[in-house]
Amino acid sequence: MQVRIVTDAPASLRAEALVVPVFSEAALEGAAKGLDGDVDGAIGELLSSGEIKGKSYETALVRAPKKPYTRILVVGLGDAAKFEPYMLARYAGTAVRYLGRRNLKDIAIALPPQAKGNEAACAAFVAEGAIAATLDTTMYQAEPEKTINVASVTISADGFDAKALEGGAARGTAIGEAVNTARRMALTPANHMTPSDMASRAEEIGREVGIKVDVLDEGQMEREGMGSLLGVSRGSDEPAKLIVMTYKGDPSSTEVLALIGKGLTFDSGGISIKPAENMHEMKYDMSGGAGVIAAMSAIGKLKPSINVIGVVPASENLPGPRAMKPGDILRAMNGKTIEVINTDAEGRLILADALCYAKKLGATKIIDAATLTGACVVALGHAASAAIGNNDEFVQYFLRTVKPTGERYWQMPLFEDYTTAVKSEIADLKNSAGRAAGSLTAAAFLKAFVGETPWIHLDVAGTAYLDTESAWQAKGPTGTPVRAFVAMTEALAKNDFKPATPAPNGAKAKATAASSS
Ligand code: BES
Ligand code: MN
Ligand code: ZN
């Protein structure tokens, strides 16, 4: 999909349809107001008659026979007072899905007046959302029922800063394409997305964007002492892979941001096997890993000045004659022993070695993402991902940084109680502490492999895929956490985040920061 900026006024754009925004309970303004006369007041009439109310992502089509574009699609943007730029991704996505389903290929999109002064961010969201909306989820159908055929989106720069729009659209294109890369990987069923397939895809992306990719095989993992990751892969004939992508955007710095993602290409539960219902959804259990690989592709294109490594432990979790069994004890790369209480708590086992390896590679900040626990879906539903960390300032920085992306994260605590809960009687740790605070005991388990390095764990079990479609997004994988990964990388590249060291007397970190400034 091509996203172009033209200086023509909305009224003279050449396209098959023009998309204009309206806000709820507001008078017509901007492009909608300017065009209303051309269509004999039809847009104003839609609103005054109550046929549409301007609610978020509501649509109405108006014929514009006298215009080059012949149709105007009115899309609601909700309450103007609550407008945020990321909503433009959903606005553009709604338009692309509505018009693309009706076989239109070439559409033009008008921006709301709020885009003035914030052109780069707004154009980025339009491009991201338009591209994300084209994702074809019917790739295995002989005659796909629901293809989206939009191939070109034009944004009118009339009244806006065209140069800023251009830059924003290029950035949003890179992010939208990365979002779709992650979603396509997740959609691909486990028989076509094995750990080896994931590694090949990472290598292919590395070649495309000029990022170094190394893939450790099981022999190399063995030599590194990755008994935890190897324990999970034992039950499968498909060999595990540890994918490492290295981007050096700031060679003079020793700082390295590690993005780590769970790449469990199929989670049957192993010997602690899952019930059949919804087990097919466990092809999505590599969404965190796909998010890392895809974010690295955007990072390779956007070239921020920061060093980033992407680390993806990829494995299947199957029962089999050689599979790990409940009660088995594994030894992770850092020497810690783990009692396997439940073979279905495998995500933390593969992440444990990936965390150790990222530290060996010099990671100075770590963010991991994983479809880690059903308990996270119980706690937050599909409305937000959990964010849990060992450094509160880093978590706060993360929450501030990623909020504008539209991906939603909610902080959860990491009390000592959870660390106590994952202590084993026989080994250093156990991989399951039962039902209570399942997402937090999982995070406490991971913490044992991180040490003091500022780290944030994202549990995306409820957000990486959805079983409902929306006006702007197909059912299935959402691309979470790609947007957050890219936003954090860009922010850290610009803003050298340095957590204040906690005061020895136990005083709040905040107080330390205030007194030293
Ligand atoms: N991949 C699952 C978590 C999951 C469940 C993701 C539902 C998305 C939707 C993970 O490997 C798992 O099975 N976790 C167990 C942990 C338990 C055994 C401690 C869970 O959540 O039940
Ligand atoms: Mn599992
Ligand atoms: Zn899993």
Side-chain angles (χ1 to χ4, degrees), residues 350-431:
I350 67 171
L351 287 168
D353 281 328
L355 289 162
C356 294
Y357 196 64
K359 289 189 47 146
K360 181 181 169 179
L361 295 177
T364 52
K365 284 184 192 65
I366 302 176
I367 311 175
D368 80 73
T371 46
L372 204 62
T373 64
C376 186
V377 190
V378 174
L380 297 171
H382 304 284
S385 313
I388 305 152
N390 62 352
N391 180 307
D392 201 50
E393 283 174 85
F394 192 42
V395 177
Q396 294 305 324
Y397 178 87
F398 171 84
L399 295 173
R400 276 199 306 280
T401 302
V402 306
K403 193 163 188 285
T405 68
E407 285 184 3
R408 211 188 269 134
Y409 294 86
W410 196 256
Q411 186 179 8
M412 303 240 261
L414 195 46
F415 299 128
E416 274 300 312
D417 310 52
Y418 311 131
T419 300
T420 308
V422 292
K423 285 201 169 119
S424 161
E425 300 280 312
I426 183 169
D428 297 322
L429 292 156
K430 57 184 176 187
N431 79 332

Side-chain angles (χ1 to χ4, degrees), residues 22 44 95 136 147 188 198 212 275 277 289 291 384 390 401 431 433:
V22 291
D136 182 11
T147 53
T188 308
M198 252 188 125
K212 183 160 95 81
E277 192 175 276
N390 62 352
T401 302
N431 79 332

Side-chain angles (χ1 to χ4, degrees), residues 339-359:
E339 181 187 9
V340 178
I341 299 293
N342 188 321
T343 66
D344 197 11
E346 84 299 334
R348 64 200 75 182
L349 296 176
I350 67 171
L351 287 168
D353 281 328
L355 289 162
C356 294
Y357 196 64
K359 289 189 47 146

